[in-house]
Amino acid sequence: MHDLVSDELPGGHGPAIDLSLEDLEATARHVIGEMAYAYFAGGADDERLLTGNVEAWARWQLHPRVLAGVAGVELATTVLGTAVSSPVIIAPTAVQGLAHADGEIATARGAAAVGTLMVLSSLASRSLEEVAEAAPGGPRWMQVYILRDRARTVELVRRASDHGYGALVLTVDTAVSGLRLREVRGGVRLPSHVTLPNVAGGSAHRAHDGGLMAVVTQEFEPALTPDDIGWLAGLSDLPVVVKGVQRADDALRSVEAGAAAIVVSNHGARQLADAPATADIVGEIAEAVGDRAEVYVDGGLRRAPDVMKALALGARAVLIGRPSLWALAAGGADGVVSLLRWYEAELRRTMALCGVSTVGEIDRSLVRRALP
């Protein structure tokens, strides 16, 4: 999956890792087949935002400091008080059983081995109990949807609270499903041997017959309001993270309603193709929220410099989605470990070259808008 090359990283952190995400994706596509690849790789409508998310990070430049006396780099940080080895955490992605036989269990083991956090999708192909048992020492959060049948959401929250999940990540950008034409044209359906054990009821049957888009449209509560953040927070002692925010005013309403953190996200470009790239909005949202809540971001982060830019723009951490799926497909838990180690190694290099030795030292002065 990767080759080790000889140059040492600052602070004696070992050899660099030569990893190509393009090659990794190609390997994953070959392994999982075209239907699963269409589900994981596809975006909404003409998919312009898929490339837009990635390209937007290139519109920002790092503005390095020199003569900073950086002898070593430390990546450790916290998210809602939970210690993580780096500000790179695993985003919630559904039905990972389509990528690897061990699915979310392998991803959890990989994240735990590195010391970072995994967010488990409520549409996972492995139960939250299995995932907790597979990586008991790993930090983990539970992603949730508020379903039309709210009793099912209440039960999911109870299970997550009972099994050591540290936060609830409420996805709020799915009033309806985005038009994912690659899924429609590819006839994407949940295979009969894959289930959805974290959501009781007819979700798996509906996904077998009509695909995951049908589950979104028919089962998710479409008319969420800020009051639903408070409702969810009242079900347990777990903090609520609101994911899918793309406007500063929505971020502030979420915080006022009780959100402990915000994830700036356009759902991996799977909902609205004409939405802004997250790199273009995370700064204004982080500035508006200030110190009232933590802000994270996902969408198109493919390189360690992208991570550095996100932190400089005000994010406390970033969530990695598709790259983690390609790593899972290509190498199981070991593949996830290699991917995360690659991000860590290159983030150390990037920070050293920018003249900072800790994540806490990264600020807005280290990034600037690229000239046209």
Side-chain angles (χ1 to χ4, degrees):
M1 179 178 165
H2 64 261
D3 297 318
L4 297 182
V5 295
S6 59
D7 60 317
E8 293 289 318
L9 296 175
H13 290 291
I17 298 172
D18 179 13
L19 184 150
S20 164
L21 285 183
E22 292 79 8
D23 291 347
L24 189 63
E25 181 175 349
T27 298
R29 183 174 188 173
H30 175 74
V31 169
I32 66 180
E34 289 303 308
M35 188 190 77
Y37 180 76
Y39 174 68
F40 290 136
D45 300 302
D46 63 1
E47 299 188 337
R48 70 181 68 184
L49 190 54
L50 274 179
T51 55
N53 269 343
V54 175
E55 292 170 351
W57 292 107
R59 293 197 287 269
W60 293 95
Q61 296 173 327
L62 293 172
H63 201 186
R65 301 186 185 114
V66 296
L67 304 175
V70 175
V73 173
E74 176 55 60
L75 300 183
T77 186
T78 60
V79 285
L80 293 183
T82 296
V84 288
S85 57
S86 88
V88 178
I89 63 180
I90 300 292
T93 53
V95 288
Q96 293 179 23
L98 295 179
H100 189 276
D102 292 335
E104 292 82 3
I105 285 177
T107 301
R109 286 174 174 160
V114 173
T116 198
L117 182 142
M118 172 191 181
V119 185
L120 181 69
S121 172
S122 61
L123 297 179
S125 53
R126 293 296 192 114
S127 72
L128 65 89
E129 292 85 358
E130 289 179 287
V131 172
E133 183 179 358
R140 54 189 177 272
W141 292 351
M142 188 74 212
Q143 180 270 332
V144 298
Y145 296 101
I146 294 179
L147 304 177
R148 295 173 190 263
D149 179 359
R150 293 194 174 217
R152 294 164 60 194
T153 299
V154 171
E155 176 62 13
L156 180 64
V157 170
R158 183 195 64 77
R159 291 166 59 196
S161 180
D162 288 348
H163 287 85
Y165 289 78
L168 303 173
V169 180
L170 173 64
T171 297
V172 295
D173 58 358
T174 52
V176 296
S177 173
L179 180 57
R180 303 169 191 172
L181 292 174
R182 204 185 308 200
E183 289 185 38
V184 174
R185 293 165 181 168
V188 173
R189 299 289 185 273
L190 193 67
S192 59
H193 67 280
V194 178
T195 61
L196 301 173
N198 296 313
V199 282
S203 296
H205 177 74
R206 189 163 282 118
H208 292 148
D209 290 345
L212 272 296
M213 286 174 58
V215 176
V216 174
T217 299
Q218 297 179 39
E219 298 196 25
F220 294 2
E221 171 58 64
L224 296 179
T225 73
D227 290 342
D228 291 305
I229 298 170
W231 175 81
L232 185 66
L235 298 180
S236 74
D237 294 329
L238 299 178
V240 174
V241 179
V242 176
K243 179 178 181 291
V245 176
Q246 300 179 62
R247 295 171 55 104
D249 54 356
D250 283 342
L252 291 173
R253 291 196 301 149
S254 296
V255 172
E256 290 164 2
I262 299 295
V263 182
V264 178
S265 173
N266 52 42
H267 213 103
R270 295 167 70 82
Q271 286 295 93
L272 183 66
D274 290 276
T278 52
D280 291 334
I281 54 176
V282 62
E284 64 191 67
I285 292 173
E287 183 177 4
V289 170
D291 60 2
R292 284 170 284 186
E294 294 185 357
V295 173
Y296 320 128
V297 64
D298 67 16
L301 295 130
R302 296 293 182 264
R303 304 160 53 249
D306 299 336
V307 178
M308 178 86 175
K309 294 170 188 178
L311 301 183
L313 287 167
R316 188 172 183 87
V318 306
L319 287 77
I320 301 299
R322 288 183 179 91
S324 70
L325 289 169
W326 309 145
L328 172 66
D334 289 343
V336 174
V337 169
S338 293
L339 176 77
L340 292 170
R341 293 295 188 206
W342 175 69
Y343 273 108
E344 287 185 349
E346 292 311 307
L347 183 55
R348 284 192 185 95
R349 185 191 310 280
T350 303
M351 288 171 60
L353 290 171
C354 286
V356 292
S357 58
T358 69
V359 170
E361 295 174 14
I362 300 172
D363 62 26
R364 184 64 175 77
S365 72
L366 290 168
V367 70
R368 54 178 287 168
R369 195 75 171 179
L371 296 175

